Amino acid sequence: MATSRILTLNEVIIQKQSAFPYAKGELSRLLSHIGLAAKIVNNKINRAGLETSILGEADNINIQGESQQKLDVYADEIFTKALQASGIVCGIASEECDEIIVFDDDLSRDGNYVICIDPLDGSSNIDVNVSIGTIFSIYRRITPHGQKVTKADFLQPGTKQMAAGYIIYGSSTMLVYTTGLGTTGFTYEPSIGEFCLSHYFMVTPKSGKIYSINEGNYIKFPQGVKKYIKYCQESDPDTNRPYTSRYIGSLVADFHRNLLKGGIYIYPKTASAPNGKLRLLYECNPIAFLAEQAGGMATDGYGKRILEIQPTDIHQRVSFFTGSKNMVEKAEEFMSIYTDENN
Ligand code: P6P
């Protein structure tokens, strides 16, 4: 029986890197360091139930006003150290840090890349064993070498991303990334300690049966969202409705499921979150890049392509509609018809 050889993350990156501008092995090294950090964090998450000292809240509130979990802080430290050790990253914008982190050591000062990262997204799920994730976005620096990077290096629109990806720490741990040549998935094989190619070219269905939104916020939603939810719940065999509601409060897990099966994830503006909840730089832009590379779509619900939003702050929030193209377009249709002004 023919056996297909296992291809590791490094092998696939090297195979593909010839198509990646500025390659010269830089992307390989960068993604390899991200993969190493992911293995270390994965091990800690998997043992969290045994090492209860790593569970629970750190005694700190982050800039988001959210209580940091101990694993949040741990993941942030691991990824920061791994990226600094790569020698090609000169700065980081992290969900866990108020300001950008500038690497000013000899190894990293002249690195060509900056990273926006959510080291551990969905942390409210950590202690209840629900899938969580790391989300990252890679940009080329714009500040000339010899000068320290500034916020301007991070406030680039999503269309300028060189690469983006996530790690989902779930029933199996996967790393999914894109460099603009399609969305590719790797599954972690603990017995050999490698991320192995499992989804060479991920394509999300144009339509699906899943809608993902926190309906507990229903009364605060814009009219267009309320009308779209009711549309999803109506019965219509021609359009495969009623849809199924699936929402576990972990963006990477909800997005990953919908990417594979078809579906839409919505986190809209609400009365209490007038700019939405999700952060543009290290949640929406990388997920939007992956969605589009898989044939999906990502907008703010008001006709604006996420990747074309010009960031103004590293922790800026936006409303977020992403997933199967036909479903995002239908939701956008409701948002354009039922504006809050005329309903
Ligand atoms: P809510 C986690 O904090 C997160 O940023 C996403 O991972 C998740 O989809 C969303 O917030 C959950 O927010 O308000 O529904 O609990």
Side-chain angles (χ1 to χ4, degrees):
M1 178 182 77
T3 53
S4 56
R5 187 172 76 80
I6 287 175
L7 280 176
T8 66
L9 175 64
N10 287 358
E11 288 171 315
V12 172
I13 296 166
I14 289 166
Q15 272 180 11
K16 284 192 167 190
Q17 78 174 4
S18 54
F20 178 74
Y22 320 105
K24 297 186 294 296
E26 288 184 331
L27 177 73
S28 320
R29 280 180 20 224
L30 186 42
L31 284 171
S32 298
H33 279 82
I34 289 173
L36 174 62
K39 295 174 192 175
I40 296 169
V41 171
N42 179 60
N43 180 56
K44 204 69 169 178
I45 288 170
N46 290 343
R47 297 185 49 77
L50 297 168
E51 293 175 19
T52 50
S53 60
I54 195 63
L55 291 176
E57 295 185 356
D59 54 353
N60 189 30
I61 302 290
N62 67 14
I63 187 169
Q64 325 294 340
E66 297 161 348
S67 68
Q68 282 185 312
Q69 303 295 309
K70 290 176 187 170
L71 268 173
D72 277 334
V73 175
Y74 175 80
D76 189 47
E77 287 167 2
I78 293 296
F79 277 97
T80 299
K81 284 177 186 160
L83 291 169
Q84 186 162 16
S86 72
I88 49 179
V89 174
C90 53
I92 293 177
S94 168
E95 194 224 19
E96 299 302 331
C97 301
D98 302 0
E99 299 301 329
I100 60 171
I101 301 165
V102 177
F103 295 152
D104 198 17
D105 57 286
D106 294 343
L107 176 68
S108 310
R109 179 178 305 117
D110 289 330
N112 289 323
Y113 299 91
V114 295
I115 309 280
C116 302
I117 187 167
D118 186 349
L120 207 54
D121 179 77
S123 47
S124 58
N125 290 302
I126 291 174
D127 295 0
V128 293
N129 210 13
V130 167
S131 300
I132 49 183
T134 297
I135 313 169
F136 62 89
S137 181
I138 301 172
Y139 290 89
R140 196 102 174 135
R141 70 184 294 163
I142 49 179
T143 305
H145 289 108
Q147 294 178 25
K148 280 187 183 177
V149 288
T150 67
K151 274 188 181 177
D153 291 278
F154 299 88
L155 299 178
Q156 301 181 54
T159 49
K160 297 288 189 186
Q161 291 176 96
M162 301 303 297
Y166 59 77
I167 297 100
I168 177 169
Y169 309 98
S171 49
S172 70
T173 293
M174 281 191 69
L175 186 151
V176 177
Y177 86 91
T178 183
T179 59
L181 301 171
T183 295
T184 304
F186 298 80
T187 300
Y188 185 57
E189 176 44 70
S191 64
I192 58 173
E194 290 286 358
F195 280 101
C196 302
L197 181 64
S198 54
H199 301 68
Y200 186 71
F201 195 79
M202 300 173 84
V203 178
T204 193
K206 288 290 181 236
S207 292
K209 274 190 70 70
I210 299 170
Y211 71 100
S212 305
I213 188 169
N214 183 346
E215 293 190 60
N217 296 325
Y218 183 84
I219 55 167
K220 301 183 222 170
F221 286 155
Q223 276 302 320
V225 171
K226 291 180 179 176
K227 297 288 188 183
Y228 179 66
I229 290 173
K230 292 305 166 200
Y231 167 82
C232 293
Q233 294 166 345
E234 288 165 353
S235 176
D236 178 340
D238 296 338
T239 54
N240 223 359
R241 287 177 291 134
Y243 294 158
T244 295
S245 173
R246 285 284 183 276
Y247 187 79
I248 56 174
S250 184
L251 169 62
V252 172
D254 281 318
F255 176 78
H256 185 74
R257 177 201 54 241
N258 293 356
L259 181 70
L260 294 173
K261 294 191 167 194
I264 184 171
Y265 172 98
I266 299 175
Y267 208 107
K269 296 179 183 177
T270 64
S272 51
N275 296 314
K277 174 183 182 183
L278 300 188
R279 280 56 59 127
L280 176 60
L281 261 58
Y282 40 78
E283 289 174 322
C284 300
N285 267 336
I287 294 294
F289 193 12
L290 292 159
E292 289 196 1
Q293 286 293 309
M297 198 169 167
T299 73
D300 65 353
Y302 299 89
K304 184 75 174 172
R305 185 183 172 214
I306 289 291
L307 295 183
E308 291 178 354
I309 295 175
Q310 175 54 53
T312 53
D313 180 81
I314 59 171
H315 298 295
Q316 170 176 352
R317 299 175 190 267
V318 291
S319 65
F320 195 41
F321 292 56
T322 190
S324 295
K325 190 168 183 298
N326 296 346
M327 298 178 83
V328 175
E329 287 175 342
K330 177 58 82 174
E332 280 270 353
E333 199 181 300
F334 279 91
M335 292 295 283
S336 62
I337 296 167
Y338 300 98
T339 58
D340 292 326
E341 291 68 40
N342 58 32
N343 282 284

